[in-house]
Amino acid sequence: MKSALFTAVPLMLLLAGCSQTFAPERTLAPASIISYNAAVKLEQLRPGQTVLLGATPWGDNINVTALERYRSASGFDCLKLQLTNQKALACQTADNLWLAEQAYAQ
């Protein structure tokens, strides 16, 4: 009985190691450049303030409320935003371009 157990356990471990499944690679959509007019408004926006933005990657004529400003690990100044029914991020790059990250559900 012991010899069967010593054979079965290593075999089960070997088979378990071979049956690992890997999660599919997650790809992120590239950030979109925010128009100059919208970028100027975002730059001046403080937490708690709301502004109407014309053309944005999240839609046209959309109310945007600033939730929080922070500095990202890459050194960009970023702004967490509340859109009508979702949240989004916008970050200002070193060359003063504002980039819109894909919006996400609350």
Side-chain angles (χ1 to χ4, degrees):
M1 181 71 171
K2 283 186 179 180
S3 65
L5 184 60
F6 286 122
T7 305
V9 171
L11 182 60
M12 288 172 45
L13 291 174
L14 177 66
L15 292 175
C18 293
S19 66
Q20 286 181 337
T21 57
F22 295 98
E25 235 179 86
R26 184 173 171 230
T27 57
L28 297 175
S32 301
I33 296 175
I34 296 175
S35 72
Y36 175 78
N37 290 337
V40 168
K41 290 180 181 179
L42 285 178
E43 193 169 345
Q44 298 169 356
L45 199 59
R46 298 292 167 242
Q49 293 180 326
T50 300
V51 67
L52 177 67
L53 299 179
T56 73
W58 308 297
D60 295 340
N61 299 319
I62 187 167
N63 279 317
V64 175
T65 302
L67 298 176
E68 176 185 355
R69 286 188 169 276
Y70 67 97
R71 182 166 300 260
S72 71
S74 56
F76 298 152
D77 290 324
C78 296
L79 189 56
K80 288 183 183 179
L81 302 169
Q82 176 68 53
L83 309 179
T84 304
N85 59 356
Q86 55 192 354
K87 293 183 181 177
L89 297 173
C91 293
Q92 188 177 24
T93 66
D95 53 359
N96 291 324
L97 287 176
W98 276 85
L99 301 177
E101 297 295 328
Q102 187 173 15
Y104 55 94
Q106 296 188 60

